[in-house]
């Protein structure tokens, strides 16, 4: 399937007033997509090809997201970017089941605890590895910075320890025994690593069991959101040099 045409792979779609700007190779885009699909929220998909620098050159998108990063939404004129903010908004706007972002203050705080920690830890490690290994050399035209790749790997391993020892301690999911938007945010960072076949954790480990729990719990929406990841695996789009 051609990347330029992959908008047709995603739904449910109609003439909804909700526009969803995304790239399915983007981890945060897939997190939002799974929430939309799992709750059957109709939207109009707008593909923003990050590899072609459309986050910078697509004038419509830049008006929605001045930060120039996917994902973003335009909900009948209400424009919002940052995946965690979008998911919190969607839960409230569309009155989604409570487990996604609990109304109980303590349970909600657990979700927020992970989401606030995520970007400078899990994402810094997993996405940092992927970006430094594959993305930055393409953008800059230069060589891969091996030291940055290794530092990202170390950050990822530190993050995995915290996830296993704290967030998943005595719980099935990151914030409790029900899946939440915290799990959507996190699991997409680990599925990104499937494409270069980078094994960040052992089979059967606590985090491996959690990834599989998320995959099973979210079907068929998980596979819908990961079509481009499976495409990347099949076609070996990302081969690690280290």
């Amino acid at each position: 399937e051609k990347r330029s045409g992959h908008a047709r792979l995603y739904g449910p779609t109609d003439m909804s007033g909700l526009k969803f700007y995304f790239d399915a190779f983007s981890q945060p885009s897939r997190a939002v997509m799974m929430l939309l699909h799992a709750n059957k929220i109709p939207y109009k998909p707008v593909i923003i090809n990050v590899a072609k620098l459309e986050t910078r050159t697509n004038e419509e998108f830049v008006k929605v997201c001045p930060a120039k990063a996917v994902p973003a939404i335009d909900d009948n004129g209400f424009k919002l970017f940052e995946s965690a903010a979008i998911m919190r908004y969607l839960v409230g706007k569309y009155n989604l089941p409570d487990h996604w972002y609990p109304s109980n203050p303590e349970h909600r705080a657990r979700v927020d605890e992970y989401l606030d920690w995520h970007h400078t830890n899990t994402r810094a490690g997993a996405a940092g590895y992927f970006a430094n290994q594959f993305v930055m050399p393409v953008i800059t035209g230069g060589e891969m910075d091996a030291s940055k790749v290794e530092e990202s790997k170390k950050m990822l391993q530190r993050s995995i320890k915290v996830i296993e020892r704290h967030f998943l301690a005595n719980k099935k999911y990151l914030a409790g025994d029900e899946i939440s938007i915290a799990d959507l945010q996190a699991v997409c960072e680990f599925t990104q690593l499937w494409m270069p076949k980078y094994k960040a954790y052992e089979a059967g480990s606590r985090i491996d069991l959690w990834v599989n729990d998320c995959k099973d719990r979210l079907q068929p929406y998980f596979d819908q959101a990961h079509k481009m990841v499976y495409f990347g695996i099949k076609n070996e789009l990302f081969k690690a040099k280290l």
Side-chain angles (χ1 to χ4, degrees), residues 4-59:
S4 61
H6 75 270
R8 69 182 182 277
L9 298 175
Y10 303 102
T13 63
D14 66 359
M15 297 306 291
S16 170
L18 174 63
K19 285 186 177 181
F20 176 40
Y21 300 82
F22 71 97
D23 184 322
F25 278 124
S26 152
Q27 304 92 310
S29 291
R30 294 196 300 272
V32 175
M33 185 184 295
M34 286 193 289
L35 185 66
L36 288 166
H37 288 204
N39 293 281
K40 296 179 172 55
I41 300 172
Y43 65 89
K44 179 180 179 181
V46 183
I47 305 301
I48 301 297
N49 192 319
V50 174
K52 293 183 177 179
L53 303 181
E54 289 180 3
T55 52
R56 305 178 190 180
T57 60
N58 185 302
E59 294 183 5

Side-chain angles (χ1 to χ4, degrees), residues 5 31 38 93 130 144 164 169 221 225-227 235 239:
K93 172 68 182 289
F130 195 85
M144 174 193 65
E164 292 189 325
Y221 316 109
H226 283 80
K227 286 178 185 284
N235 293 277
K239 284 189 175 182

Side-chain angles (χ1 to χ4, degrees), residues 131-146:
N132 287 311
Q133 177 79 272
F134 304 107
V135 180
M136 293 310 297
V138 173
I139 292 176
T140 65
E143 292 294 318
M144 174 193 65
D145 189 328

